């Protein structure tokens, strides 16, 4: 524990600065730390696997995925939706069966009341008292359908304190893991990276620092270089190429076809560690709270 201010060990006030200093020294409290370049994925890596893409595809919002990873994600989400839908339908059928049972019980009760009224008047008091005894409700929890709702103290979901949760009908739409917008497989666009042609570099593609270049200007692509994908062909170009070459006449430099502004998809960069190129570069690590 630190001293309360300089040359003062008898102070009654435990200041915020002292508490913060003690928390850092003892390992308590929430620690905020700025993430560096090594903690951020590269521009050509999948947003799910964080590995270089073998078959890259991109969404209309500019998020890059490996085709195999995003297909597995969509399939898993559809399986989850199918499972939830089956549970919802099972609950719906159960509710319908309970309503039918209640209607049948009400019909039976009305019929019994009608038969009692139609019976002859009981002649002696003993028979009347016997009928009154028979009409008294049973206290047993195994009669009148109560055995179906018995609590199970050894099953957490069936204890008396548990409230029955009503399932809602699940949404059948698959959402993007990055933007939470509807995601469809047919909306994904195949991306075509242009490899850097260096005959002297014998390294593997994964460990190369300079893997890809702009399809038009042949500038090296990296997290520090803003890039875009041309929707019609999937070629990756720099934003400088888009501003200086493509936007002059809106013609594809490689194929000569007409382009529109919708055909330019800016790629979401992984990050460089600098604040002006990224958002949410600070990570939080929550630790036990130091009580004063």
């Amino acid at each position: 524990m630190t001293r309360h201010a300089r040359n003062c060990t008898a102070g009654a006030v435990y200041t915020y600065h002292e508490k913060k200093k003690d928390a850092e020294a003892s390992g308590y409290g929430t620690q905020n730390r700025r993430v560096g370049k090594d903690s951020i994925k590269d521009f050509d890596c999948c947003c799910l696997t964080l590995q270089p893409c073998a078959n890259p595809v991109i969404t209309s919002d500019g998020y890059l995925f490996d085709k195999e990873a995003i297909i597995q994600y969509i399939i898993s989400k559809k399986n989850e939706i199918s499972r939830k839908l089956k549970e919802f339908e099972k609950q719906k059928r159960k509710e319908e069966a309970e309503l039918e049972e209640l209607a049948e019980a009400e019909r039976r009760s009305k019929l019994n009341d009608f038969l009692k009224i139609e019976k002859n008047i009981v002649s002696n008091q003993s028979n009347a008292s016997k009928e009154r005894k028979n009409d008294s409700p049973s206290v047993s929890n195994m009669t009148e359908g109560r055995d179906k709702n018995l609590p199970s103290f050894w099953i957490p979901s069936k204890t008396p304190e548990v409230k029955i949760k009503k399932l809602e009908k699940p949404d059948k739409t698959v959402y993007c893991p990055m933007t939470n917008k509807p995601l469809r497989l047919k909306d994904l666009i195949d991306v075509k990276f242009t490899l850097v042609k260096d005959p002297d570099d014998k390294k593997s593609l994964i460990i190369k620092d300079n893997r890809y270049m702009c399809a038009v200007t042949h500038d090296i692509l990296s997290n520090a270089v803003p890039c875009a994908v041309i929707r019609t062909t999937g070629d990756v170009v720099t934003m400088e190429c888009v501003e200086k070459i493509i936007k002059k006449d809106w013609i594809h430099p490689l194929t000569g076809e007409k382009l529109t502004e919708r055909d330019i998809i800016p790629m979401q960069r992984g990050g460089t560690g600098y604040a002006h190129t990224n958002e949410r570069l600070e990570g939080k690590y929550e630790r036990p709270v130091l009580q004063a």
Side-chain angles (χ1 to χ4, degrees):
M1 188 68 69
T2 56
R3 294 191 302 171
H4 299 297
R6 181 180 295 176
N7 299 328
C8 179
T9 59
V13 179
Y14 187 33
T15 64
Y16 172 76
H17 174 72
E18 292 169 346
K19 185 176 180 180
K20 189 175 180 181
K21 190 174 180 181
D22 288 336
E24 290 178 356
S26 58
Y28 286 89
T30 302
Q31 182 181 13
N32 295 339
R33 183 174 295 177
R34 186 179 176 83
V35 297
K37 184 180 177 182
D38 296 337
S39 303
I40 305 171
K41 77 175 190 69
D42 290 333
F43 74 100
D44 60 334
C45 290
C46 173
C47 292
L48 289 175
T49 63
L50 306 181
Q51 299 296 323
C53 297
N55 297 311
V57 292
I58 197 169
T59 64
S60 56
D61 295 308
Y63 289 96
L64 194 72
F65 296 99
D66 195 337
K67 197 168 188 176
E68 182 180 357
I70 195 63
I71 288 175
Q72 288 180 356
Y73 172 80
I74 293 174
I75 291 173
S76 65
K77 285 295 179 183
K78 286 189 175 181
N79 290 338
E80 184 181 351
I81 291 169
S82 177
R83 178 182 58 80
K84 290 181 178 179
L85 191 60
K86 286 179 180 178
E87 291 178 357
F88 173 75
E89 290 175 352
K90 182 179 178 182
Q91 175 188 266
K92 192 175 179 182
R93 288 194 298 268
K94 185 178 178 182
E95 290 176 353
E96 290 175 354
E98 289 176 353
L99 289 175
E100 289 178 2
E101 287 181 4
L102 289 173
E104 181 66 21
E106 187 177 357
R107 188 188 67 80
R108 242 185 278 117
S109 176
K110 288 181 179 180
L111 180 60
N112 292 335
D113 293 342
F114 175 76
L115 292 175
K116 284 180 183 179
I117 293 171
E118 293 297 320
K119 279 183 180 180
N120 295 329
I121 299 174
V122 181
S123 59
N124 52 16
Q125 190 68 23
S126 61
N127 291 338
S129 62
K130 285 180 181 178
E131 286 191 3
R132 279 196 293 270
K133 287 180 180 178
N134 293 332
D135 290 343
S136 61
S138 174
V139 295
S140 174
N141 58 5
M142 299 298 290
T143 60
E144 300 177 2
R146 297 179 204 165
D147 55 331
K148 296 181 181 179
N149 299 321
L150 287 178
S152 298
F153 294 94
W154 54 91
I155 302 177
S157 60
K158 292 188 177 182
T159 53
E161 292 79 10
V162 174
K163 295 181 180 178
I164 299 175
K165 186 178 180 182
K166 189 174 181 180
L167 298 176
E168 300 292 337
K169 188 173 182 180
D171 188 2
K172 296 182 180 180
T173 308
V174 178
Y175 295 96
C176 176
M178 303 302 295
T179 61
N180 205 27
K181 294 180 180 179
L183 177 67
R184 296 183 297 179
L185 189 60
K186 66 179 182 180
D187 294 337
L188 298 175
I189 301 150
D190 292 330
V191 176
K192 187 167 59 178
F193 283 108
T194 305
L195 295 173
V196 175
K197 299 175 182 179
D198 187 1
D200 297 331
D201 194 354
K202 304 295 182 181
K203 294 180 182 178
S204 175
L205 182 64
I206 295 178
I207 62 175
K208 282 183 179 180
D209 294 331
N210 301 325
R211 291 193 284 264
Y212 302 113
M213 62 183 181
C214 174
V216 178
T217 63
H218 291 185
D219 292 335
I220 301 299
L221 304 181
S222 66
N223 281 358
V225 179
C227 306
V229 175
I230 301 176
R231 184 189 296 269
T232 55
T233 59
D235 291 308
V236 180
V237 296
T238 61
M239 288 302 294
E240 186 179 6
C241 172
V242 172
E243 297 293 335
K244 293 184 178 180
I245 299 175
I246 296 177
K247 283 190 176 181
K248 281 187 177 181
D249 46 13
W250 288 106
I251 292 177
H252 197 301
L254 301 177
T255 62
E257 60 183 325
K258 197 72 177 175
L259 298 176
T260 61
E261 194 165 356
R262 181 176 172 273
D263 295 326
I264 305 299
I265 303 174
M267 290 182 66
Q268 302 294 332
R269 288 186 282 172
T272 59
Y274 292 100
H276 73 281
T277 59
N278 295 272
E279 296 178 358
R280 295 177 296 179
L281 283 178
E282 190 176 66
K284 282 189 176 182
Y285 176 64
E286 294 183 357
R287 299 177 295 181
V289 179
L290 178 65
Q291 299 294 335

